[in-house]
Amino acid sequence: MSTSDSTVRIGLILPDVMGTYGDDGNALILRQRLRWRGYDAEIVRITLDDPVPDSCDIYAVGGGEDAAQVLATKHLSDSRGVQSAVAKGTPVLAICAGMQIFGEWFAIADGSRVPGLGLLDVTTLPQKTRSIGEVASTPLLDGLTEPLLGFENHMGATKLGPDAAPLGRVTAGTGNGVAGGEGPADDGGEGVVQGSIIATYMHGPALSRNPQLADLLLSRALGVDALDPVDVPAQERLRSERLAAARR
């Protein structure tokens, strides 16, 4: 995708089960930021009733509870459009439980381990206590220079393997978590980057708080080095407010 006369297709993955925390808003933000720049864009809602296409230009998946994660994992394992898209280098944003199901395995409340999609070299175990509140980090991904901000609400502690890298280094909040209270899951990291996937525990929705991250994902989807800036004064007020809240 590289021209503004084509429609950019944003695949919203399983909003019927993986949209607990308003993460569907990330797809809306991607669409709006494209439209502000003159691109036609549409959101393709992919539910449990639908096969998962590999033809979208960018994908987003949100968070959910244990039962939703298991349902989502089964559907995405049976209908392998996301795996095919990732193999082609299509950008994907995965939030919270979405990050966990993209990993090798994740543990649920009864202690059992559920095999994930194997798209991220991560595993997830329960924390001793829930991480909830503002989270901020310094980005570690090329192309990002501004602090990353969000709201975390998770029991999982995600440990990164050698093929995965953290998205940011935590300056406030928990980030990837502390497994069973025994030590950092990722030594102060927040989120995961591997291949075309960017994953994070940030809700908010994440892209409303991090427009630079939204534009990085969009530039990858469009196959361009950078996008023209857009002026959204309310966006900067939101970031200033949330950054101050994270520092309290």
Side-chain angles (χ1 to χ4, degrees), residues 44-58:
V44 179
R45 289 175 59 87
I46 306 159
T47 73
L48 286 174
D49 294 326
D50 304 314
V52 182
D54 66 357
S55 55
C56 293
D57 300 295
I58 186 169

Side-chain angles (χ1 to χ4, degrees), residues 137-153:
S137 66
T138 300
L140 300 174
L141 179 63
D142 288 347
L144 298 179
T145 58
E146 300 174 351
L148 293 163
L149 308 173
F151 187 86
E152 61 182 348
N153 184 358

Side-chain angles (χ1 to χ4, degrees), residues 1-8 34 38-40 57 221-224:
M1 177 64 61
S2 60
T3 59
S4 59
D5 58 358
S6 298
T7 299
V8 182
L34 285 164
Y39 290 90
D40 290 329
D57 300 295
L222 295 166
V224 299

